[in-house]
Amino acid sequence: MKYSKDNNYQPYPLDQVCHIGYQLCYSVKFLHDNKLTHTDLKPENILFVDSDFDLVYNSKKVRM
């Protein structure tokens, strides 16, 4: 949640969403290939290795 708060609750850029989605699918496939099941998949259980980010100003998403 730190990323969201520090980024003024702006959404992730589409390229990052695609990369995160790919990694999630790949990790679930790995678990299934090894006959394992993750029984609590939810956004709160996603661990990012690095929380560094670049703040990008988007004039269309300015909050008042």
Side-chain angles (χ1 to χ4, degrees):
M1 188 66 112
K2 182 174 175 20
Y3 172 86
S4 296
K5 186 175 181 183
D6 288 348
N7 199 29
N8 197 24
Y9 299 97
Q10 296 293 314
Y12 288 99
L14 184 57
D15 61 326
Q16 288 182 5
V17 171
C18 291
H19 189 67
I20 292 168
Y22 172 81
Q23 290 182 350
L24 288 171
C25 292
Y26 188 83
S27 62
V28 170
K29 181 187 179 318
F30 173 83
L31 291 172
H32 289 190
D33 288 348
N34 288 282
K35 305 207 183 306
L36 299 169
T37 304
H38 191 302
T39 59
D40 196 20
L41 288 175
K42 59 186 175 187
E44 293 83 12
N45 289 342
I46 298 172
L47 177 65
F48 292 102
V49 174
D50 189 354
S51 63
D52 287 344
F53 62 92
D54 294 324
L55 186 59
V56 178
Y57 179 73
N58 185 344
S59 62
K60 295 177 183 175
K61 300 277 184 171
V62 174
R63 292 181 175 222
M64 299 289 178

